[in-house]
């Protein structure tokens, strides 16, 4: 595929992903992202509809853009939320298989993709973009059959294991993370006025955390671990939003608490002991699971 054909197909796939996951496509999005003219953006949408996915989108004057029809389905993408993440952030998503074989001599172990339906995600993304509140049915460990929650979301989070939405919970009166896979029905609009991302103090606060070799390891083992993680001066420094600290430490498989650090065969690295106070009380006790 030559460069021109590749760029056209990339724009067509972008049209599909925005329509699928945001539920509204405007030509300005394509103009801004690809630096093309309005005429070219309109031509791309026409090409997508005529040659690749007929009757999949209709122009809705009330929203000044194209919206998916009832029979919309993906033809240029796999219908996975990770593809949308790739598009808007440049983040490399994971394949929906246990392994991704890049060549006969290169295999990357992957986690199975957790399916998240567009009908669940579209209203959430729209609420994030438009600073609106939504009503969801949410299953939790305390209420596995689900309960009604009204939330004001601001950001989608991919932890490396599953998708969450960061939102202000009106019933708990605090910002919390809600797993998308536990939202059991399409969200509905709510009239409540919630707090915004600027009010989410744990989101706004940045922390510098230090990851070090587990002190229970021998000196030779610690030096080996330092090399594994390209540590400088015996530590790896990471800067992260406070609200994302636990996801980051989970991805690194770093011990946080003393009882975890005592299991050095499982946790070869650990959070520097003096950094634990930076995560209290957010991580230790006050952040009740939702």
């Amino acid at each position: 595929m030559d460069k021109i054909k590749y760029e056209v197909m990339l724009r067509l796939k972008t049209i599909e992903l925005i329509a699928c996951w945001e539920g509204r496509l405007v030509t300005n999005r394509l103009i801004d992202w690809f630096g093309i003219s309005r005429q070219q953006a309109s031509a791309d949408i026409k090409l997508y509809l005529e040659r690749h996915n007929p009757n999949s989108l209709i122009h809705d004057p009330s929203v000044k853009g194209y919206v998916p029809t009832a029979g919309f389905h993906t033809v240029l993408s796999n219908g996975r939320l990770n593809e949308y993440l790739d598009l808007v952030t440049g983040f490399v998503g994971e394949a929906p298989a246990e392994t991704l074989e890049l060549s006969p001599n290169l295999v990357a172990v992957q986690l199975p993709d957790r399916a998240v339906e567009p009908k669940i995600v579209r209203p959430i993304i729209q609420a994030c973009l438009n600073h609106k509140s939504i009503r969801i049915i949410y299953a939790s460990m305390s209420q596995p059959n689900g309960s009604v929650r009204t939330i004001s979301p601001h950001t989608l989070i991919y932890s490396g294991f599953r998708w969450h939405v960061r939102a202000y919970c009106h019933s708990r009166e605090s910002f919390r993370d809600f797993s998308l896979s536990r939202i059991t029905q399409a969200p509905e609009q709510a009239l409540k006025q919630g707090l915004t991302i600027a009010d989410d103090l744990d989101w706004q606060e940045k922390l510098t955390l230090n990851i070090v070799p587990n002190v229970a390891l021998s000196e030779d083992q610690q030096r080996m671990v330092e090399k594994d993680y390209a540590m400088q001066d015996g530590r790896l420094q990471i800067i992260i939003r406070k609200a994302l600290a636990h996801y980051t430490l989970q991805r690194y498989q770093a011990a946080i608490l003393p009882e975890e650090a005592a299991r050095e065969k499982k946790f070869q690295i650990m959070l520097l002991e003096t950094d634990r106070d930076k995560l209290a009380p957010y991580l230790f006790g006050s952040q009740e699971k939702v």
Side-chain angles (χ1 to χ4, degrees), residues 13-272:
K13 185 176 180 180
T14 298
I15 288 170
E16 180 169 283
L17 288 170
I18 293 176
C20 179
W21 295 107
E22 295 186 10
R24 175 177 176 263
L25 170 70
V26 293
T27 54
N28 282 346
R29 204 75 180 277
L30 300 175
I31 294 169
D32 292 342
W33 283 4
F34 293 102
I36 58 178
S37 66
R38 187 171 302 278
Q39 291 80 3
Q40 183 61 62
S42 297
D44 286 341
I45 296 173
K46 182 179 179 181
L47 177 63
Y48 175 78
L49 289 171
E50 290 183 350
R51 189 172 299 180
H52 297 280
N53 206 356
N55 304 315
S56 60
L57 302 173
I58 59 172
H59 189 268
D60 185 347
S62 67
V63 299
K64 299 179 181 179
Y66 292 85
V67 297
T69 61
F72 176 88
H73 62 284
T74 58
V75 295
L76 301 180
S77 61
N78 295 324
R80 296 188 297 112
L81 185 53
N82 292 63
E83 292 176 292
Y84 175 75
L85 178 69
D86 294 347
L87 175 69
V88 298
T89 68
F91 180 80
V92 178
E94 295 181 346
E98 293 184 359
T99 60
L100 174 63
E101 300 197 11
L102 305 177
S103 77
N105 306 107
L106 181 60
V107 175
V109 176
Q110 304 287 345
L111 294 175
D113 188 43
R114 296 171 184 252
V116 182
E117 298 180 68
K119 71 176 183 180
I120 300 291
V121 178
R122 284 177 195 160
I124 296 174
I125 292 178
Q126 291 169 4
C128 290
L129 294 173
N130 299 312
H131 312 294
K132 301 294 185 181
S133 296
I134 52 177
R135 187 177 297 105
I136 62 174
I137 306 297
Y138 191 75
S140 64
M141 295 303 292
S142 60
Q143 294 179 298
N145 293 323
S147 62
V148 178
R149 305 281 186 95
T150 298
I151 63 173
S152 299
H154 66 68
T155 305
L156 287 182
I157 302 167
Y158 184 60
S159 69
F161 300 99
R162 58 182 179 175
W163 283 92
H164 304 261
V165 60
R166 182 77 174 172
Y168 179 76
C169 178
H170 289 265
S171 60
R172 303 291 181 85
E173 298 184 334
S174 62
F175 284 95
R176 294 169 178 272
D177 299 343
F178 295 86
S179 173
L180 296 190
S181 61
R182 292 185 178 181
I183 299 176
T184 59
Q185 298 179 22
E188 300 177 350
Q189 285 190 351
L191 298 178
K192 287 190 176 182
Q193 184 66 37
L195 301 182
T196 67
I197 189 172
D199 301 303
D200 189 348
L201 300 183
D202 287 330
W203 185 266
Q204 298 299 332
E205 183 180 352
K206 297 285 188 70
L207 300 177
T208 299
L209 299 179
N210 294 273
I211 295 176
V212 298
N214 193 318
V215 295
L217 297 173
S218 69
E219 290 186 5
D220 289 340
Q221 289 172 327
Q222 289 185 45
R223 284 195 294 269
M224 180 179 66
V225 170
E226 288 176 13
K227 186 177 180 181
D228 285 342
Y229 289 88
M231 294 182 180
Q232 300 292 325
D233 298 322
R235 66 184 61 191
L236 175 66
Q237 284 195 334
I238 55 175
I239 300 174
I240 191 67
R241 296 183 186 277
K242 188 174 184 179
L244 301 179
H246 56 306
Y247 296 133
T248 303
L249 294 172
Q250 285 175 354
R251 288 296 300 268
Y252 275 103
Q253 293 186 310
I256 303 173
L257 300 174
E259 52 266 32
E260 294 173 333
R263 302 160 62 190
E264 72 277 6
K265 291 184 178 179
K266 180 177 181 179
F267 297 98
Q268 296 180 359
I269 56 177
M270 58 182 286
L271 179 67
L272 190 67

